[in-house]
Amino acid sequence: MTERTKLGLGVAEAALLLGVLGDALLRATPWGVNVTLWVGAFLAATLALGRHKGVARAPSREARWLWGAVMLLAVFFAWRDSLTLRVLDTLMILGALSLAALTTRAGRVRAAGVSEYALAVLTSAANALFGFFPLLFADVSWRELPRSGWTRHLWAVARGVLLAAPLVLLFGALFVAADAVYESLVQETLAFDAELTASHVFLVFFVTWLVGGYLRGALLARAPFTDFARFKAHNPLGLNLNETKPASASPPANTSAKAQTSGAAETQDPSELRGLFSGGEAGKTDSASDATGKSGTVDAQAHTSTMSSTASTAPPSSSTATSSSSQTSTSSPASTSATKSETPRKQLVSLGLVEVGIVLGLLDVLFLSFVVVQLRYFFGDSAHVVNSAGLTFSDYARRGFFELVWVALLALPVLLAAHWLLRKDEAGLGERVFRMLAGAMLGLLFVIMASALWRMRLYQVAYGQTELRFYTTAFMFWLGAVFVWFAATVLRGRRERFAWGAAVAGFLTLVALHVANPTEQIVRANLARAQMTGRFDAAYAVSLGDDAVPALVAALPSLNPRDRNYVAHRLVQHERTHAAHDWRSWNLGRARAGRVVRVNGNVLSDWAREWEVEMRGAATLNNVRGH
């Protein structure tokens, strides 16, 4: 059995085990420690499969760091009880796993571009959805499975089961019809919930399919589009997949050349394909070529030795020509490699300095005009906003904030696309003009973002804090850090470092959000505002999740009786619902909330009863009025 078949079987077995484990753990919702346990098992299986020498690509140092980040994000599920944070954690986990697969396929993540990050995400998604087919029908050669031991009797056992099944059903039906006690025993034994069983089967199959496809793409897949050629070579379905060759096509020179070409195709690195997506990084040396350099050197040495032996056995009259041919063939790989590393990749689409300069220049003028017109109340106080003609807090703060967020968000891809499309000239004039215009736009963007944050602060003071406002503000801070990183990398000629820094900034922002506990911060801000205004949205505060419960319970005595009784009623009901959850849904936020509610159970129950009495009285009054 070849190593590739062994690894393919290992991937299939690991995927099936993770599918069963996923059905056992992930069915329990809301998610908590079950996600932490399953992700830990997934990473352990990935590490174990990555140790197959000669077939699986060994995980790089960057891949290990990414797996560590994935594990930390999985631990967050056992920490905070916030739906928004769980969604962000899930998206970050999927992105980190895509980048980890990129390290095994294309080399360094820190030197990859934004387009390569996007390609990594799309490739990982495609592998997860469709990778199980080539895993079973191309990577695993079923003919190589040993026919000794228990596998030798596998088909005999299957034939015996098929022959015995109708007989068992026939005699079993007769026994059931003959005795009522035996009938009840059989019914109790075979009784099952068809819908529940189908859901178990579907979840196991779904998780197995996705995990197997992803692991196959990360550990076994070569360059894009080469796996289909391997699938055609094996032709497991017996289909006519071979293309018709023209009659004039000449046969290959020799078998060794054909084998060498086939081996090169199977070990092809996706750098050639990714070159189409990285026009702005023309001078960057692809690190994936380093990963396959050893195999290329071995092929070159084998080719050199073959040519040398041919030269030694050739006739004297052709020795000079053979030696020249040998030297040419042995020096060809080196010259080709040198040409490839020294010649920049050709951009499919590019723009000149005039076009890019006009686009960025006009945008700079537009941004500047907006800043100049808005200067008189960009940073004005509340009284100025109220006294401004036709302006309210809602018009000035809420509407203006989200529009300005979109301006800042859309400006980033515009700058990246302009730099990517800019045609690189020898004098470097284009780069200098781009830095000047992009730097001016960044300065204006920082003023616009500061204005947006100021508007949001005024809006929060007037109308309170919500999750949307809190997370959008955090997003603005992340976007500001990305713009600073853009100036430190792209504007200094280090574009290949930009995507990695932006991803790290996003990960650190997510970690900071978990530490800050957004729902608790929202409740505290709204409680402080309620002390001044007397207005408190109790229904929204209770809906924020268990992370906000300790702050809510501590502030209940300071609320008005109606809000206090309503919050207590909802917390008591919520605790009864949580009591039905099993250990798989445990996390620290829910445990803290349950403990606080149980400690204050007597007081909360009294306030909850007051709310119920008030609601019954209101219902009775409505009925009397109705009659």
Side-chain angles (χ1 to χ4, degrees), residues 192-206:
F192 66 95
D193 189 341
E195 183 178 354
L196 180 62
T197 303
S199 67
H200 280 286
V201 173
F202 173 77
L203 186 56
V204 171
F205 174 79
F206 181 74

Side-chain angles (χ1 to χ4, degrees), residues 295-312:
S295 60
T297 304
V298 173
D299 292 340
Q301 292 175 354
H303 185 63
T304 304
S305 61
T306 304
M307 296 300 295
S308 300
S309 61
T310 305
S312 62

Side-chain angles (χ1 to χ4, degrees), residues 63-93:
R64 293 189 180 96
W65 278 105
L66 288 168
W67 289 342
V70 169
M71 194 66 237
L72 180 61
L73 293 168
V75 171
F76 287 163
F77 279 85
W79 184 14
R80 295 298 184 197
D81 180 52
S82 169
L83 178 60
T84 305
L85 288 180
R86 287 199 295 270
V87 171
L88 294 176
D89 291 338
T90 302
L91 294 177
M92 187 67 74
I93 286 175

Side-chain angles (χ1 to χ4, degrees), residues 488-508:
T489 54
V490 178
L491 296 188
R492 297 179 61 189
R494 301 176 180 176
R495 179 189 174 96
E496 70 276 1
R497 300 289 182 180
F498 171 75
W500 173 252
V504 171
F507 174 75
L508 295 178

Side-chain angles (χ1 to χ4, degrees), residues 102 104-108 115-116 119 222-226 264-265 267-279 281-282 284-293 340-341 344-346:
L102 174 63
T104 61
R105 294 172 59 86
R108 297 179 298 168
S115 57
E116 292 171 311
L119 182 62
R222 263 81 172 182
F225 308 114
T226 58
T267 57
Q268 176 187 356
D269 194 274
S271 59
E272 299 294 335
L273 176 66
R274 292 187 292 108
L276 303 179
F277 297 90
S278 56
E281 302 162 17
K284 183 182 67 176
T285 303
D286 198 298
S287 60
S289 60
D290 298 336
T292 57
K340 181 178 179 180
S341 60
R345 297 188 182 111
K346 184 178 179 180

Side-chain angles (χ1 to χ4, degrees), residues 163-186:
L163 292 174
L167 298 176
V168 171
L169 291 177
L170 173 62
F171 289 107
L174 293 174
F175 289 145
V176 167
D179 187 80
V181 176
Y182 188 79
E183 179 183 8
S184 62
L185 178 63
V186 171

